[in-house]
Amino acid sequence: MLIRMRRVGQRRSWPFFQTRPAYEIVIAEGSHEIFNGTTTTPSPVLVSRGKVHTTDSYDWIAAADQAASQGEAWVTDPFGGR
């Protein structure tokens, strides 16, 4: 299973229209794409579709935030290499 994630900016979210970071996530298994989209809540997508442990989903988010601040694009491994 291949998971790629990057921070793509910010958007306002319901119910109080606060600005939240937006993330683009691509989850694929072989040539079959399971999920491709942009969300402000990446943890549920990573857990349900990407089969990432709940605790590890926070590492994915932190790695995507760090990569965006360093000018890098996609994160494919939050625990080491990008």
Side-chain angles (χ1 to χ4, degrees):
M1 182 167 298
L2 174 67
I3 301 173
R4 298 184 329 164
M5 180 174 167
R6 68 178 174 168
R7 186 171 174 172
V8 292
Q10 297 180 353
R11 66 177 160 172
R12 297 195 180 275
S13 64
W14 189 82
F16 301 112
F17 301 106
Q18 297 173 331
T19 303
R20 298 186 59 180
Y23 300 91
E24 183 177 359
I25 302 173
V26 177
I27 302 172
E29 190 160 5
S31 62
H32 178 67
E33 192 169 86
I34 297 171
F35 180 84
N36 183 2
T38 305
T39 182
T40 58
T41 55
S43 289
V45 174
L46 291 169
V47 171
S48 65
R49 305 256 176 111
K51 299 190 181 13
V52 173
H53 191 274
T54 306
T55 306
D56 294 339
S57 68
Y58 295 105
D59 294 327
W60 277 92
I61 296 168
D65 290 340
Q66 183 180 10
S69 69
Q70 295 175 353
E72 298 175 18
W74 294 96
V75 173
T76 57
D77 179 17
F79 304 108
R82 298 274 186 285

